[in-house]
Amino acid sequence: MIKKNNLIGKRVENELNLHKTHPGLRVDKPPFPQNLIIDLCNGCNHECLFCMNRLMTRKVKRMSFNFYKKVLKEAKKLGVKELGLYATGEPFMHTKLEEFVLLAKEMGFSYVYTTTNGALVDEKRLKKVIDCGLDSIKFSVNAGSRKTYKTIHGKDEWEKVCKNINFVSNYRDNQNLDIKLSISSVVTNLTFHEKEDLRKKFENIVDEIFFSECDYQQGQMLANEAIVNTIDHSYQVCNLPFYRAHISSEGFLTMCCVDYQNYLATADLNKTSLLEAWHSDLFVDMRRRHIDNSLEGTLCFNCLNSCNSKIMPLNKSLAHAIDFKEFYNASKEEMQITIQERKNI
């Protein structure tokens, strides 16, 4: 059964305005949040034009089940209710995704959700992960036609993804399951004219189609200036360090869900507890810098200002440092070459 809603849109709006609606959370030592995002694997089977993942220099890492179980035990005691199993990579690249979902539901997490490009799985595995208790699955579909999809995603898997979305919809209806099914789509100047095509194709089988404008990926992909459609500069405040926790595939607590080089990683959870890391001196200091708007020299500054100022990782031992200024220049040239190559295929 289709349950039309604007859940994603509402969640995004609430996140962006949290400093207005819940100013008490914007302090240097906020309580541990009820929402935790865990990046089970930072690798990805697609190479989306706008995504930093395809240029990332971090090694691909899959989280161990034992570490995951340890973190979930701590998170449950801290009052976490919502668990997102995705971030910088494709969650289905982890062979134990189903087991991770099942454990989370058995431990009593009320809302377990994930985002996938939907191209790595077949119907059998989709059925299995749904049967393990997944509460929400969102497919990332960044075009409205096979040709443009191939240009954006770098893979000719439009038909397979469409088939998988239809399967989840039919399986949900046939089994009368209460799982949310949605699509998110990053809009570029190569795809804005296909928004209506995407909407018409899926609006009758999914709960929601959420469009977001392509941006500079938290200051890491300034090369996206070649494909951005329009940029919204109205939000100059970030609430992520105050209300949501993020864990990288290596097991690091990081301040951001798209920290591809671990420049915002603050602590190694293999060596410290979740709460100790959340209230660590480094994390507390960064929250104060957010409150005081004194973020120069950090990735957060480049994100909020869409610039390429010189930055350093918060914890050098956890990051994969690169020369971002050099990277910006090289990635701009690479973007132009890649666009032309994909259009000519």
Side-chain angles (χ1 to χ4, degrees):
M1 180 183 295
I2 299 175
K3 300 179 180 179
K4 292 294 181 183
N5 57 58
N6 186 32
L7 179 63
I8 303 174
K10 289 178 180 177
R11 286 174 73 97
V12 171
E13 190 68 22
N14 289 339
E15 292 169 2
L16 291 172
N17 290 297
L18 198 72
H19 59 292
K20 298 177 182 178
T21 58
H22 296 80
L25 289 180
R26 199 170 172 82
V27 294
D28 57 11
K29 280 191 176 183
F32 198 85
Q34 296 183 354
N35 192 344
L36 171 63
I37 286 185
I38 300 179
D39 202 9
L40 300 181
C41 177
N42 63 312
C44 189
N45 55 309
H46 277 196
E47 297 182 346
C48 292
L49 274 178
F50 55 79
C51 187
M52 174 69 181
N53 184 282
R54 67 186 181 87
L55 302 176
M56 177 182 66
T57 64
R58 277 169 63 205
K59 293 182 179 180
V60 173
K61 173 74 174 180
R62 290 169 175 82
M63 185 173 289
S64 75
F65 188 80
N66 287 336
F67 173 82
Y68 174 80
K69 188 174 182 179
K70 164 190 172 295
V71 166
L72 257 59
K73 287 181 178 179
E74 294 181 30
K76 189 62 180 175
K77 291 180 180 179
L78 291 171
V80 173
K81 297 179 179 179
E82 299 184 352
L83 188 65
L85 302 180
Y86 71 100
T88 65
E90 166 55 46
F92 279 101
M93 283 193 69
H94 203 303
T95 58
K96 295 183 180 295
L97 175 60
E98 298 91 328
E99 296 177 42
F100 288 156
V101 172
L102 181 61
L103 178 62
K105 296 308 294 183
E106 288 178 342
M107 291 181 65
F109 290 90
S110 60
Y111 189 66
V112 180
Y113 59 103
T114 195
T115 293
T116 174
N117 57 50
L120 197 62
V121 293
D122 55 17
E123 295 178 358
K124 182 179 180 180
R125 195 167 183 211
L126 281 168
K127 178 180 179 298
K128 188 174 181 181
V129 75
I130 292 171
D131 290 346
C132 284
L134 190 67
D135 295 291
S136 174
I137 184 168
K138 175 159 59 71
F139 287 82
S140 179
V141 186
N142 303 301
S145 69
R146 178 181 176 182
K147 181 179 180 180
T148 311
Y149 182 93
K150 187 177 180 181
T151 299
I152 298 297
H153 285 254
K155 301 289 183 179
D156 187 12
E157 295 181 309
W158 164 261
E159 298 295 342
K160 182 178 183 180
V161 172
C162 292
K163 180 182 178 182
N164 281 338
I165 295 172
N166 275 278
F167 168 77
V168 173
S169 177
N170 291 331
Y171 186 65
R172 175 176 68 168
D173 290 347
N174 293 335
Q175 300 297 316
N176 194 28
L177 300 174
D178 186 23
I179 178 175
K180 295 177 176 61
L181 170 60
S182 58
I183 290 174
S184 64
S185 186
V186 175
V187 181
T188 68
N189 59 17
L190 301 175
T191 62
F192 74 94
H193 61 287
E194 294 185 349
K195 288 175 62 175
E196 193 59 30
D197 296 330
L198 186 65
R199 185 181 288 112
K200 287 180 179 179
K201 186 172 184 64
F202 293 110
E203 64 181 352
N204 292 323
I205 65 171
V206 302
D207 301 323
E208 181 178 4
I209 302 175
F210 179 76
F211 294 99
S212 61
E213 292 291 339
C214 176
D215 58 19
Y216 300 123
Q217 284 237 312
Q218 280 62 29
Q220 298 166 102
M221 282 294 287
L222 293 185
N224 283 348
E225 64 185 11
I227 58 174
V228 293
N229 184 46
T230 181
I231 290 288
D232 183 1
H233 293 288
S234 61
Y235 294 100
Q236 297 297 317
V237 174
C238 179
N239 294 311
L240 290 182
F242 302 90
Y243 86 96
R244 193 170 74 190
H246 311 87
I247 301 177
S248 76
S249 56
E250 299 93 342
F252 305 154
L253 184 67
T254 177
M255 298 176 63
C256 185
C257 55
V258 285
D259 184 14
Y260 290 97
Q261 297 291 131
N262 284 339
Y263 264 55
L264 298 177
T266 59
D268 185 350
L269 295 174
N270 295 283
K271 301 177 181 179
T272 189
S273 73
L274 202 50
L275 185 59
E276 288 173 337
W278 182 251
H279 287 158
S280 67
D281 291 343
L282 184 54
F283 212 144
V284 167
D285 179 65
M286 277 301 293
R287 291 195 191 96
R288 288 172 180 161
R289 294 179 67 177
H290 269 269
I291 294 170
D292 297 336
N293 193 26
S294 58
L295 295 165
E296 291 83 355
T298 71
L299 181 60
C300 295
F301 181 83
N302 284 6
C303 169
L304 291 172
N305 294 279
S306 299
C307 66
N308 64 343
S309 297
K310 184 178 180 179
I311 60 174
M312 296 293 290
L314 300 184
N315 187 329
K316 294 181 180 179
S317 67
L318 305 180
H320 287 252
I322 60 175
D323 185 332
F324 261 107
K325 278 188 172 293
E326 181 178 311
F327 170 78
Y328 291 143
N329 293 328
S331 62
K332 288 179 182 180
E333 181 178 351
E334 187 275 345
M335 175 68 79
Q336 296 294 341
I337 294 173
T338 303
I339 291 173
Q340 290 305 314
E341 288 179 343
R342 293 186 182 182
K343 282 184 174 181
N344 293 332
I345 294 178

